[in-house]
Amino acid sequence: MTYIAKPRFRHPDLPKNTLGFTRRDYEGAVSTLCAGCGHDSISAAIIQACFDLDLPPHRIAKLSGIGCSSKTPTYFLGNSHGFNSVHGRMPSVLTGANLANRDLIYLGVSGDGDSASIGLGQFAHAMRRGVNMVYIVENNGVYGLTKGQFSATSDKGSKSKRGVINMDAPIDLVSMALQLGATFIARSFSGDKTQLVPLIQAALEHKGSAFIDCISPCVAFNNHPGSTKSFDYVREHNEAVNRLDVMVGRSEITADYAPGTVEMVTQHDGSVLRLRKLTADYDPHDRVSAMTYLQRRQEAGEIVTGLLYVDPEPDDLHVYMNTIERPLNELGEQELCPGPKALDKLNAALR
Amino acid sequence: MLQPTDIKNPAYFHKVVDCQWACPAHTPVPEYIRLIAARRYADAYMVNWESNVFPGILGRTCDRPCEPACRRGRVEDEPVAICRLKRVAADHKGDIRARLPRPVTKKNGKRVALVGAGPASLTVARDLLPLGYDVVCFDGDPQGGGMMRTQIPKFRLPEPVIDEEVGYILDLGLETRFGQRIDSMKWLLGQGFDAIFVGSGAPRGRDLDIPGRKETAANVHVGIDWLSSVSFGHITKIGRRVIVLGGGNTAMDCCRTSRRLGGEEVHVVVRSGFEEMKASPWEKEDAMHEDIPIHNFLVPKSFTHEAGRLTGVMFEKVKPEFDAKGRRSLMPTGEPDVHMACDDVLVAVGQENAFPWIERDAGIEFDKWGMPKVDAATMQSSLPHVFFGGDAAFGPKNIIWAVAHGRDAAISIDKHCQHEDVSQRPPPGFKMISQKMGIHEWSYDNDISNDLRFKVPLRDKAVALKDVRLEVELGFDEKQAFAESQRCLNCDAQTVFTHSLCIECDACTDICPVDCITFANNGTEQDLRTRLSAPSKNLTQDLYVSDALKTTRVLIKDEDMCLHCGLCAERCPTGAWDMQKSLIQMAHAGHECRSSSNA
Ligand SMILES: Cc1cc2nc3c(=O)[nH]c(=O)nc-3n(C[C@H](O)[C@H](O)[C@H](O)COP(=O)(O)OP(=O)(O)OC[C@H]3O[C@@H](n4cnc5c(N)ncnc54)[C@H](O)[C@@H]3O)c2cc1C
Ligand SMILES: Cc1ncc(C[n+]2csc(CCOP(=O)(O)OP(=O)(O)O)c2C)c(N)n1
Ligand code: SF4
Ligand code: SF4
Ligand code: SF4
Ligand SMILES: [Mg+2]
């Protein structure tokens, strides 16, 4: 960690977004994680994505569990709402918050231990309920905060820093999310921000449950030879199926691509995703073939990254439950106390 | 494709220390500022004295080319008060005489003559006397110091400060012939000196030959002559209404001096625009603070007079016009002329060199503007044992340039007298010292202050304006000096990158508060500058480029905005970044720069 506060001075020519903020206005406190931790890069990517999308910081709620990864919300979006929940319980707190106030943008930040070990049940239910949120797992294959024990996403055969081989089969959160009905699913790598930032942007624009599994090397306990979550290993085995550009007003990218290699996906909120295919036959709209593809490549030892599945017109929990449009804290006496007539009617129905 | 940066070349990191690079004498500025912060004033003074010879004088009067260059001025509004911190070192140093070189008794048998006792000549003396040279200094004036003593008003530079710092040099065993003007170069050449240094300055003030000049001679004065008469106490009064013509530092000294000698309505009038005036912004500020208005775009047409007495100045109104090439000329606006009434006029429209005492057949070549032909690196003239420096070399400049010339000339004179090639210049001393003390501890204070520049306290205006010899600036006290010193970004704490250690984790890119760091595929400089983390428009600042990394990308660091905060090094898991102090010291005359002792 670092003891001095990050200087307030910024580059004078730093661009401003339509809200008049620079990227630095989306920062939080200085990180206390180990120097070089992949999680810090993910924080930087979240900052960049929120800046690019002109998101008002006070309209974002960041929720997390316990772990180095779950500590990171302190290190970005210092002017947003935050809730640091119990280990593995972020999904239920987020679901509750979302039900109470659907107007905020929900960003769940978790770790592989937090989501795949202790919080696996919570993870699964948030995915299948279609909570409108971005759920990022900062996946380093270990419990970083408790000094590097294997987590449930650690690959079979991966070697710990002490030389112990992991014998348990790994949980693949991407496959689970596919199976459980999440409507936006991606995998990325903390060491590749050109891939990660647009994925976070697209997830933030997605109106449904968006899940990103982001491999994030733990430099202290899981970045050695023999680990399958080290910088070197991930760089060597990374197979991106596509590249994504998110078209947001200010940053229109104009470039020509060979026909058939580009697909434009318009999401519910009007945002346009431009998918440049790197693997010709990969179709990110077909859940079943995506699952098959992932299993095959995984077996071949590859780490498949990119936008793996997207449903551009998803429904979410509020639709399923037919809830009121307005946040609960905006409801007045009128809406909350419909009066004796309504009560009589209700009582009559129960007789 | 950019080649990896050669950080072994002292010039690379020297350039990063913007102030030191901009200082003609290359004073190690951040080094002395840290010493001031540590209250080691005498050490801070000596760092200065070695580089620039007159810390107390320069700390009050320097033209400070370092300040416009200061990095702090790029990340916020104003640079560090480098110059006034120098004065703090001088004010609080105590007695440092024991730390100065002693007069040398064992002489080397070589004799050097200095013409003039201004800062250029005195610097040559300071550098040569400790080496055993017999140095003889001639000056027409009765005391040493040159224009520092005769021109710069005492309310900016009190006499005791000059006496002290000139005295340190006289005490090294300088043989002075004060009061003796040299009237003939040929005579001097005949005196058997092994080398001659001409530091005679630019002594002639330009006059303004417009109608009415002759008739008004009694009340129209040439600025620099008038100022030296004030310095010598020959002039003690001026009229109530004064017009000062000109916009340089002489004009600023003339108007402020007038305010102290009875001038109540003092006006400065310049031909060009306010922004284009030669005076530094702080000099204009000081003048305006003393209730002296500055009028611009007025060209003097005539001095008006009545019954043999000056009544005022007639001006033509002009406006700037630009031709296709962007060159500016001043065109009459066609409006009626403006008359400004006054009792006295001070003409401060420029200064010239004059060498009436150098016979044109003495062997020294002059150019068509009447200036001697002088080599800018060696200060040597066409006569191999005659050297020039200060205002005499390339026209009027300032004290710090005079010092820099003197230091270069001393090296040349030493080499010349030792029968060495003067064109072989010695490289600067260059050391890199890691500042790492612990995981997040550095031997410099990397937590920089957010404070804005502190103002030097001034004496109460009513009191200051009563006495032309009363110093107007009070100088920073220790607390203010400490606070100002904390604004320094320690630009000599260099970011040094070892590419073989980098694992490309991005931690440094993410933490850098000013977006200096980018990892990208290599390219041409022009192309790379469009692909960096932040806009990279300042082409005068270098890009630091590494060898290819594992992913074949390179590290590119734009030096422009770097705060030297060390956070990149603190966040780096592998120690690929280190903060190292670059200590760059210009060579000075002496054994280490003679090639024979290098061998
Ligand atoms: C009004 C005014 C204000 C200034 N203010 C500042 C300031 O605030 N800061 C700054 O940095 N600079 C200032 N300057 C400029 C600065 O004073 C000069 O650039 C500097 O003094 C030049 O130094 P020098 O060694 O070349 O010669 P000078 O200081 O000019 O000294 C030359 C000396 O040579 C002597 N001399 C000349 N001819 C002969 C001869 N033939 N024989 C013997 N002796 C001779 C002269 O008497 C004089 O003493 C100012 C100048 C003026 C006119
Ligand atoms: C209920 C409970 N059980 C156990 C712990 C101990 N604990 C703290 S963090 C952690 C694992 C965190 O792992 P992960 O989510 O992968 O985060 P990382 O530190 O790797 O980013 C554990 C087991 C706890 N804090 N609370
Ligand atoms: S222990 Fe691992 S996960 Fe935790 S901060 Fe350090 S590097 Fe990051
Ligand atoms: S020292 Fe490092 S982190 Fe600090 S401004 Fe310079 S490059 Fe950036
Ligand atoms: S922090 Fe160190 S290892 Fe990481 S990218 Fe920067 S220099 Fe390389
Ligand atoms: Mg983990």
Side-chain angles (χ1 to χ4, degrees), chain B residues 111-300:
Chain B
R111 294 176 67 237
V112 178
L114 310 175
V115 182
S121 292
L122 291 174
T123 299
V124 175
R126 200 254 345 222
D127 281 0
L128 293 183
L129 285 165
L131 303 178
Y133 286 87
D134 271 316
V135 186
V136 185
C137 180
F138 300 88
D139 198 303
D141 286 340
Q143 277 174 296
M147 287 196 168
M148 302 190 297
R149 195 184 285 277
T150 59
Q151 289 293 322
I152 300 179
K154 300 295 172 261
F155 60 82
R156 284 208 290 127
L157 178 59
E159 197 111 45
V161 181
I162 310 172
D163 290 343
E164 176 188 334
E165 291 187 337
V166 170
Y168 291 155
I169 298 167
L170 303 187
D171 291 347
L172 293 173
L174 182 64
E175 189 179 333
T176 55
R177 303 277 173 82
F178 291 164
Q180 181 177 347
R181 238 192 94 80
I182 302 295
D183 289 317
S184 159
M185 180 55 122
K186 281 187 175 166
W187 173 82
L188 188 61
L189 288 169
Q191 299 303 302
F193 286 102
D194 296 285
I196 294 170
F197 177 80
V198 180
S200 56
R204 186 181 288 164
R206 260 189 225 130
D207 204 345
L208 198 58
D209 198 11
I210 53 174
R213 175 71 180 92
K214 279 195 193 69
E215 297 83 336
T216 58
N219 294 89
V220 176
H221 321 274
V222 171
I224 71 167
D225 300 339
W226 183 81
L227 282 172
S228 53
S229 303
V230 173
S231 276
F232 288 125
H234 303 323
I235 288 180
T236 53
K237 271 207 295 290
I238 195 155
R240 193 177 63 81
R241 300 167 306 166
V242 182
I243 291 177
V244 176
L245 300 174
N249 44 24
T250 305
M252 297 301 107
D253 281 342
C254 284
C255 66
R256 296 180 70 196
T257 301
S258 301
R259 286 285 280 132
R260 288 161 170 79
L261 296 185
E264 284 165 27
E265 290 170 29
V266 180
H267 293 255
V268 171
V269 185
V270 295
R271 299 161 52 96
S272 59
F274 181 81
E275 301 302 330
E276 302 145 71
M277 287 169 62
K278 277 216 181 119
S280 314
W282 54 86
E283 290 179 303
K284 297 192 256 186
E285 243 169 62
D286 288 339
M288 292 184 301
H289 171 75
E290 292 175 357
D291 310 315
I292 302 165
I294 299 176
H295 310 266
N296 63 358
F297 292 124
L298 292 170
V299 175

Side-chain angles (χ1 to χ4, degrees), chain A residues 104-242:
Chain A
L104 297 181
I105 298 162
Y106 289 94
L107 177 57
V109 177
S110 179
D112 42 324
D114 198 54
S115 283
S117 300
I118 194 170
L120 189 63
Q122 298 248 328
F123 167 81
H125 292 293
M127 290 298 135
R128 60 179 272 278
R129 281 185 180 134
V131 183
N132 181 8
M133 64 180 169
V134 179
Y135 191 128
I136 301 181
V137 168
E138 308 193 341
N139 185 352
N140 53 15
V142 286
Y143 301 161
L145 193 69
T146 54
K147 303 272 176 283
Q149 301 83 350
F150 288 125
S151 77
T153 65
S154 194
D155 291 309
K156 194 167 188 162
S158 186
K159 207 200 290 178
S160 78
K161 204 176 178 181
R162 291 237 173 92
V164 179
I165 306 286
N166 179 37
M167 296 313 294
D168 301 338
I171 290 174
D172 177 23
L173 292 173
V174 163
S175 298
M176 286 190 73
L178 274 166
Q179 200 233 314
L180 290 165
T183 45
F184 179 110
I185 300 164
R187 179 150 47 214
S188 190
F189 170 43
S190 69
D192 184 359
K193 283 206 202 72
T194 51
Q195 181 188 53
L196 178 58
V197 172
L199 286 174
I200 297 175
Q201 289 174 347
L204 284 164
E205 303 270 279
H206 182 77
K207 193 183 166 298
S209 63
F211 172 66
I212 302 176
D213 175 25
C214 189
I215 311 217
S216 173
C218 169
V219 287
F221 301 110
N222 208 8
N223 191 38
H224 46 268
S227 155
T228 58
K229 297 267 191 298
S230 68
F231 279 107
D232 286 350
Y233 187 92
V234 178
R235 284 206 171 100
E236 261 161 51
H237 297 83
N238 191 342
E239 277 302 317
V241 290
N242 47 35

Side-chain angles (χ1 to χ4, degrees), chain A residues 4-68:
Chain A
I4 68 168
K6 184 162 168 173
R8 173 168 71 72
F9 297 115
R10 60 164 175 84
H11 196 293
D13 297 327
L14 215 54
K16 291 197 171 147
N17 64 15
T18 57
L19 301 176
F21 293 137
T22 69
R23 198 184 65 234
R24 289 214 49 199
D25 295 318
Y26 289 82
E27 288 179 349
V30 166
S31 169
T32 58
L33 301 185
C34 302
C37 178
H39 299 350
D40 282 336
S41 284
I42 302 174
S43 298
I46 292 171
I47 289 168
Q48 182 71 46
C50 293
F51 163 79
D52 285 341
L53 295 178
D54 306 317
L55 298 183
H58 66 285
R59 301 310 299 160
I60 305 173
K62 24 171 206 175
L63 297 97
S64 62
I66 299 291
C68 296

Side-chain angles (χ1 to χ4, degrees), chain B residues 376-419:
Chain B
T378 64
M379 311 311 292
Q380 195 173 36
S381 75
S382 57
L383 204 55
H385 72 300
V386 176
F387 301 82
F388 283 73
D391 288 357
F394 311 111
K397 284 193 172 163
N398 52 39
I399 302 170
I400 190 66
W401 269 111
V403 169
H405 290 167
R407 303 213 62 191
D408 283 336
I411 291 174
S412 301
I413 292 170
D414 184 41
K415 280 181 164 274
H416 175 80
C417 291
Q418 310 300 327
H419 310 292

